[in-house]
Amino acid sequence: MRFVPIKSEEQLDLQALHRVRERWVMRRTAVVNQIRGLLLERGLTLPKGRRYVEEALPRILEDAELPLSGSFRLLLAQLKLELEQLSPRIDQLDVAILERAKEDEACQRLTTIPGVGPVTATAVIAAVGNGSAFGRGRDLAAGIGMVPGEHSSGGKQTLPGISKRGNSYLRRLFVQGARS
């Protein structure tokens, strides 16, 4: 039986920082998608991406020729305000994460790995700590959920796919880093 090491106060603070940041990012994405969906119901199509919504929304609200009711314009203005409030909050947390990554020696070593930035490095430190609970790299990968399940018998090796167990936030960050 493997015992889970107790997290330090610093790790818990860093993990809380990441959880709040992730919730705000998801909320911002939900607001952008809701704005796109509401506009699509009115016949206005916007491309995917927050940037396109942020660029087009002021023009849509100011254009009097568009057949949008006053209550709908008010609703769009409130959603725009919510979007404008979430982005600076996320940016503040990004700055705090960047500062933490610059201060921590382990984070600096992790950021030397291609595809690993300050957000991923601090998330690994918050979740894993110094890694002493893991005997080898594969054990860490299994704890995160990055290794395939194995259903082998009779000399035939079968690796069906990644198990999706473990820390989904870390797994998502690693996949995004690998894509970059």
Side-chain angles (χ1 to χ4, degrees):
M1 178 183 292
R2 185 183 327 183
F3 296 99
V4 178
I6 297 173
K7 292 187 186 218
S8 68
E9 196 70 29
E10 184 177 319
Q11 281 179 292
L12 292 173
D13 289 345
L14 198 53
Q15 199 169 30
L17 190 69
H18 277 277
R19 286 180 178 165
V20 170
R21 180 188 179 277
E22 181 65 14
R23 184 174 64 87
W24 285 346
V25 168
M26 289 173 57
R27 195 164 136 204
R28 180 176 65 183
T29 304
V31 170
V32 168
N33 288 336
Q34 187 171 34
I35 290 170
R36 287 183 64 239
L38 291 171
L39 289 173
L40 187 60
E41 288 175 353
R42 304 294 173 119
L44 298 171
T45 306
L46 295 179
K48 281 186 180 179
R50 187 180 84 234
R51 178 177 61 117
Y52 298 111
V53 172
E54 288 175 346
E55 288 173 1
L57 201 54
R59 288 187 307 231
I60 291 171
L61 288 172
E62 293 172 2
D63 191 358
E65 295 179 10
L66 290 175
L68 302 176
S69 66
S71 62
F72 185 72
R73 287 180 192 271
L74 179 64
L75 183 68
L76 280 179
Q78 290 173 350
L79 287 171
K80 179 180 177 273
L81 179 65
E82 184 177 358
L83 189 62
E84 289 171 350
Q85 290 172 349
L86 284 171
S87 292
R89 288 181 184 177
I90 294 168
D91 293 341
Q92 287 174 348
L93 290 184
D94 286 340
V95 168
I97 287 171
L98 183 63
E99 289 174 4
R100 290 270 183 103
K102 286 180 180 177
E103 294 171 0
D104 193 350
E105 181 184 334
C107 286
Q108 291 173 1
R109 283 184 299 195
L110 285 171
T111 55
T112 61
I113 300 170
V116 176
V119 174
T120 305
T122 54
V124 168
I125 296 300
V128 176
N130 63 4
S132 63
F134 302 99
R136 55 193 172 144
R138 183 172 171 86
D139 294 339
L140 172 63
I144 295 171
M146 293 292 288
V147 295
E150 185 169 356
H151 302 289
S152 303
S153 68
K156 183 176 181 182
Q157 188 177 24
T158 307
L159 303 173
I162 293 178
S163 66
K164 306 287 191 295
R165 293 183 182 170
N167 192 329
S168 61
Y169 179 66
L170 273 180
R171 190 171 51 251
R172 189 175 333 121
L173 289 175
F174 280 130
V175 169
Q176 288 174 356
R179 287 182 178 165
S180 70

